[in-house]
Amino acid sequence: MDIKNAIESGDVQYAIEKINDLNPELLDTRPKLYFQLKLQHLIELIRSSKVKEALELVQEELAALCEDDPGLLSELEAVLALLAFDPPAGDEAMEAAGGAADEGPMPAEIRRLWDQGQRRATASAVNAAVLEAQGLDREPKLLFLLKMLTWAQDRLGQHASFPRVDDLVAAVPSRCAYA
């Protein structure tokens, strides 16, 4: 939970340290995950207007990762495009997203990198990798059971009338119509 919260709050370096404490081989054996974390760190540096540190990160770490896997270069280029725009001032600005008046509107593919959803996607990928490395299911058991309940009700509904649980939060069966 510490790792997820760190990523979602923008403290990617702390998250990387915690991942390495938990499983020192995880990021070594999953270079794309490591790249995704470093890319998120780059976004956070740009968000904080730490351009010099951001460029050092690109030169010292991310460029080498792109040499090993040229397919990653387009992702790096998209993040570097953030340097051409001012960071949105707040959540409303993230939604409205236009960049500075002189620069014109910020493209949607660039705007999404500023969004909290980008942090959540990175945290989710890390969470899935950590769970998988520990031999645990990537999907919570309750979610799996609710999906199974929905599937089973759909199948049974094709053959019989029965009290369905449609509101999964309240878990109150509906009345069935008997013919």
Side-chain angles (χ1 to χ4, degrees):
M1 196 59 136
D2 244 5
I3 295 169
K4 182 179 178 220
N5 290 337
I7 294 169
E8 288 183 355
S9 68
D11 193 356
V12 180
Q13 281 303 106
Y14 176 76
I16 290 172
E17 290 171 17
K18 289 307 232 180
I19 292 167
N20 286 330
D21 289 346
L22 183 66
N23 184 341
E25 297 165 4
L26 182 68
L27 296 177
D28 293 336
T29 59
R30 290 180 165 87
K32 287 188 179 179
L33 181 65
Y34 181 68
F35 178 79
Q36 189 175 1
L37 278 165
K38 284 299 184 175
L39 211 57
Q40 186 64 44
H41 182 56
L42 177 61
I43 292 168
E44 301 305 334
L45 289 173
I46 295 170
R47 183 188 311 263
S48 303
S49 300
K50 297 179 180 176
V51 177
K52 184 179 178 189
E53 289 179 45
L55 294 176
E56 287 172 358
L57 176 65
V58 170
Q59 290 173 337
E60 294 170 7
E61 295 188 50
L62 290 169
L65 293 170
C66 288
E67 284 177 11
D68 294 341
D69 185 352
L72 302 175
L73 189 57
S74 62
E75 292 179 58
L76 177 58
E77 289 171 346
V79 172
L80 287 173
L82 291 172
L83 292 168
F85 300 95
D86 291 331
D91 288 346
E92 297 97 34
M94 273 188 211
E95 305 271 317
D102 305 2
E103 299 164 342
M106 185 184 297
E109 66 185 54
I110 304 302
R111 184 179 329 130
R112 75 170 174 75
L113 297 171
W114 289 127
D115 189 35
Q116 184 67 22
Q118 173 66 29
R119 287 177 172 174
R120 280 193 296 269
T122 302
S124 179
V126 168
N127 189 49
V130 168
L131 289 173
E132 186 179 300
Q134 292 179 340
L136 301 173
D137 290 333
R138 297 173 85 177
E139 187 174 86
K141 299 247 187 265
L142 181 58
L143 181 58
F144 174 75
L145 290 172
L146 291 174
K147 286 180 181 179
M148 287 299 297
L149 173 65
T150 303
W151 175 83
Q153 287 184 141
D154 289 343
R155 296 282 294 174
L156 183 59
Q158 295 172 359
H159 304 287
S161 179
F162 68 99
R164 247 183 108 84
V165 178
D166 290 320
D167 183 355
L168 297 176
V169 175
V172 177
S174 61
R175 296 204 182 262
C176 63
Y178 293 101

